[in-house]
Amino acid sequence: MPFNEYVRIVVRYWWAIVASVLVGGLAGFGYGMYFTSVDYVSSARLFVTAEGGTSVGESYQNNLFAEGRVNSYAQIATSEQVATRASEALEGAISPADLRSKTTALPVEDTVILTISVSGPSPQRAQSYAAAVAQQTVEVVQELETSRRGGTSAASAVLYDEPGLPSTAGRPWMSWTAIGAGAGLIVGVVIALLLGWRRRGTVVDEVTAVDSTHHPVLAVLSPQTIPIETLGTDDSADRDADALRGLHNLIRFLGGRRDEQARAPRVVGFTGVGSDAGAGDVAARFAATVAATGNTVLLVDGDLSGGGITAGTELSADHGLSTVLSSSTGSVDPYVGQGGLTILPAGPVPPESGALVSSPVLGTVLDDLRERFDYIVIACPRMGSTSDSIVYSALADAMVVVVRSGSATRKALSDSVAAIELVGAVIGTVLVSGKAGQVKAQDVADSAEPAAESVDAEIVDFEPGSESVTETIRTTIDHASRNGSGSAAAAGVPSDGRGR
C-alpha cells in the first residue's frame, strides 16, 4: 500500500492508538506503584592520587596514571570482594549479592574522581550501605596498590565526600508509565494497521466509495426503516430529510448534465451492493421526500422474488407489479395512494419473476407511467441476487447504487457499477452508515421548513442545464469527487415543487 494509505488507516483508527496508549500507561503506572520497590540512593566520592613526582613532567605523568586507575577502581567498587567485606561490616544486614546489585560506580569524565552510589529501602539504610562500600573500596585499593615487599603504594583512593542522607526516593512509576505508554503506542499502531489491512478491500467511507466507482457520493444516510404503511404520511418522519432533499436536487441537475439535449432523469432506480445495503428503504425514503415537495411520485417495488419493501404487507397481498406485467389485474386498481405518494407494490410472487421482468411489457408500462407521474422511483433487487436490476438499469433514466459502510467490498461495488453501465447510467452512490434511531415527525417538519424557504428563494428561477445551476453543482461534485470527503447532501436543498 502507498504511504498515504497507511496515514489514512492510522487517522481512521486513532481510537485504537489512544486506547492502547492509555492502557499501556495505566499498566506501567500500576506496575511501578505496586510491584516495584521504592529505593533511596546515597552517594560517596573518592579521589584517586598517584604517589611521587617532583617535577612538572612527573606530576603530569602521575595525573594520567591516576585517570587510568579510576576505571579500574570502579570495577573494584562493584566487585564481589568489596561486597562481601561491606556485608560483614554491616553485620549481615544485607547479603553480598544484594549489596552488589544495588551498587554502581562511575568515574567522572576527564577527572580522577569516582562516584559510588548505593540504593536502599530507607534513607538510613542507603547511607550506611554507601559508607560501607566506599570504606571497603578504599581498603581493598590500598592493599592492591601496596607491594607485598613493603614500601609505599603507587596510587591510592581517598574518601573526600562522605555519603549523605538522601531526602527523596526515586520514582519508578514515572519511568514505568512512560515505558508502558510507549509500548502502548507501538501496539496501537500495529492494531490500527491490522484493522486497516483486514478492511482494506471494504467500502468504509466516502473516500473508498469514490475510489471504487469514480462516481460522487450523493448522500450519506443513517440506516432507517419507515413502515411502508405510513410512508408518505405525517407519521413517516425521516432524520435525513435534508440529505434526501439534497439527493433529489443532485439527481435532477446532474442527470440533466449527462446529456445536454436530455431532460433530468424521471425514472430513477435504486439498487444495493451487499445483503444489508438497504436500497429499498433508501428508495422509499427518497420517494416520500420528493413527494413532500409537491411532485407526483410513484414508488415501485421492483423485487418480484418476495424480498422487496412491500413483501409481507397487505399492500402486496393480491395485486401489484406482478399482476400488471401479467395483465391479470382485472378491474382492481393495483396502485395505492398514501398522502402525496403513490405505491405500486410487488404483488404476488410469480413462478418466474425474472422472465416477467425481462418481458417487453415492463418497458411499455414504464412509458405509460411517465405520463402520469413526475417521478418514478424503482426499488430494485440488490445486485447479484438476480438479473432483474440489470433490466431495470436499461429501462431507467438513471441508477443510484446504495452501499452499507463496512459490509461490501470495493471489488463488488466496482463490478456492480461496471455491470450497470453496460446497459444504463449510474449517477452516483449513496453511503449508508451510522446507527438507526427514532425521530419525531414534528422535529423533522420544523427543521425542514426554514431550509425550504431559504433555498426556494435561490433556485426558483433555475432551469436544468442553466449556467448558474451547472456551476453550483459542479462545485459540489468537484469537492466530493476529489477527496471523497464531505457529504454531497451538504449542497442539497428542497425542491422548488415541480422542477425536474
Side-chain angles (χ1 to χ4, degrees):
M1 292 188 296
F3 178 75
N4 62 340
E5 184 68 18
Y6 288 103
V7 175
R8 185 182 301 170
I9 290 174
V10 170
V11 172
R12 181 181 303 152
Y13 297 105
W14 62 269
W15 52 268
I17 300 175
V18 172
S20 296
V21 170
L22 291 177
V23 171
L26 290 174
F29 174 80
Y31 182 79
M33 284 292 293
Y34 302 107
F35 296 97
T36 58
S37 59
V38 178
D39 289 334
Y40 293 81
V41 179
S42 181
S43 299
R45 289 179 176 83
L46 305 183
F47 184 81
V48 180
T49 62
E51 300 298 333
T54 57
S55 65
V56 175
E58 290 178 347
S59 298
Y60 177 72
Q61 293 295 328
N62 289 339
N63 187 65
L64 293 179
F65 177 76
E67 287 185 16
R69 276 291 195 264
V70 170
N71 293 317
S72 299
Y73 293 171
Q75 299 297 320
I76 294 174
T78 57
S79 66
E80 184 176 357
Q81 183 178 6
V82 169
T84 301
R85 290 188 179 188
S87 176
E88 293 175 353
L90 293 169
E91 298 180 351
I94 183 173
S95 66
D98 290 342
L99 183 59
R100 188 179 183 187
S101 66
K102 295 177 179 294
T103 303
T104 59
L106 297 173
V108 180
E109 187 176 1
D110 296 331
T111 69
V112 292
I113 296 174
L114 176 65
T115 301
I116 299 175
S117 300
V118 185
S119 60
S122 67
Q124 294 77 13
R125 290 285 184 89
Q127 184 183 32
S128 63
Y129 293 169
V133 171
Q135 184 61 39
Q136 296 304 317
T137 300
V138 171
E139 293 181 5
V140 171
V141 167
Q142 184 69 23
E143 294 174 4
L144 293 175
E145 294 291 357
T146 302
S147 172
R148 293 182 178 180
R149 293 176 295 180
T152 61
S153 60
S156 62
V158 179
L159 178 62
Y160 79 93
D161 190 2
E162 296 285 347
L165 190 68
S167 58
T168 58
R171 298 181 179 179
W173 64 267
M174 296 182 65
S175 58
W176 280 108
T177 300
I179 293 173
L185 176 62
I186 297 174
V187 173
V189 171
V190 172
I191 291 175
L193 293 177
L194 290 176
L195 289 173
W197 180 263
R198 183 177 63 87
R199 303 186 67 181
R200 68 189 185 281
T202 305
V203 179
V204 294
D205 53 18
E206 296 167 83
V207 175
T208 52
V210 172
D211 289 344
S212 302
T213 64
H214 304 291
H215 287 282
V217 176
L218 304 178
V220 178
L221 306 177
S222 60
Q224 183 180 357
T225 301
I226 299 177
I228 196 68
E229 294 83 357
T230 63
L231 199 65
T233 65
D234 293 338
D235 295 330
S236 59
D238 200 311
R239 62 166 58 236
D240 299 318
D242 289 338
L244 289 167
R245 282 190 289 268
L247 175 61
H248 172 208
N249 283 282
L250 289 174
I251 290 176
R252 289 167 56 201
F253 299 135
L254 289 178
R257 291 179 60 232
R258 296 180 67 87
D259 184 350
E260 297 297 337
Q261 304 301 321
R263 298 167 66 103
R266 296 175 53 203
V267 179
V268 182
F270 285 77
T271 185
V273 177
S275 58
D276 58 347
D281 293 330
V282 174
R285 296 163 62 189
F286 173 76
T289 301
V290 177
T293 63
N295 292 282
T296 56
V297 181
L298 172 65
L299 173 62
V300 179
D301 185 356
D303 191 347
L304 301 186
S305 63
I309 55 176
T310 60
T313 65
E314 295 181 358
L315 300 180
S316 190
D318 299 320
H319 297 280
L321 179 60
S322 61
T323 58
V324 170
L325 296 180
S326 60
S327 302
S328 58
T329 57
S331 59
V332 178
D333 185 3
Y335 301 94
V336 180
Q338 291 187 175
L341 178 66
T342 302
I343 301 175
L344 178 58
V349 178
E352 296 182 2
S353 60
L356 202 57
V357 172
S358 301
S359 68
V361 179
L362 179 59
T364 303
V365 170
L366 291 177
D367 290 338
D368 293 339
L369 293 175
R370 286 176 185 268
E371 304 299 323
R372 297 174 53 187
F373 298 95
D374 294 332
Y375 289 95
I376 301 172
V377 179
I378 306 174
C380 306
R382 64 181 177 89
M383 293 295 295
S385 59
T386 66
S387 61
D388 294 354
S389 291
I390 300 299
V391 178
Y392 289 120
S393 301
L395 298 176
D397 297 336
M399 292 292 293
V400 176
V401 180
V402 181
V403 60
R404 181 70 179 269
S405 175
S407 66
T409 64
R410 297 190 190 187
K411 185 178 187 303
L413 178 59
S414 177
D415 291 346
S416 297
V417 170
I420 293 173
E421 290 184 327
L422 290 175
V423 296
V426 174
I427 197 172
T429 60
V430 169
L431 183 67
V432 178
S433 63
K435 297 181 178 179
Q438 298 296 326
V439 182
K440 295 181 180 179
Q442 186 60 39
D443 294 340
V444 176
D446 292 343
S447 63
E449 289 177 1
E453 293 175 359
S454 62
V455 178
D456 283 344
E458 297 179 6
I459 69 170
V460 66
D461 296 330
F462 287 174
E463 293 293 337
S466 66
E467 291 298 325
S468 54
V469 174
T470 300
E471 291 302 321
T472 301
I473 301 301
R474 179 181 294 115
T475 301
T476 302
I477 295 307
D478 284 348
H479 173 72
S481 59
R482 285 173 186 169
N483 54 25
S485 60
S487 171
V493 292
S495 169
D496 59 357
R498 304 294 296 178
R500 298 178 179 176

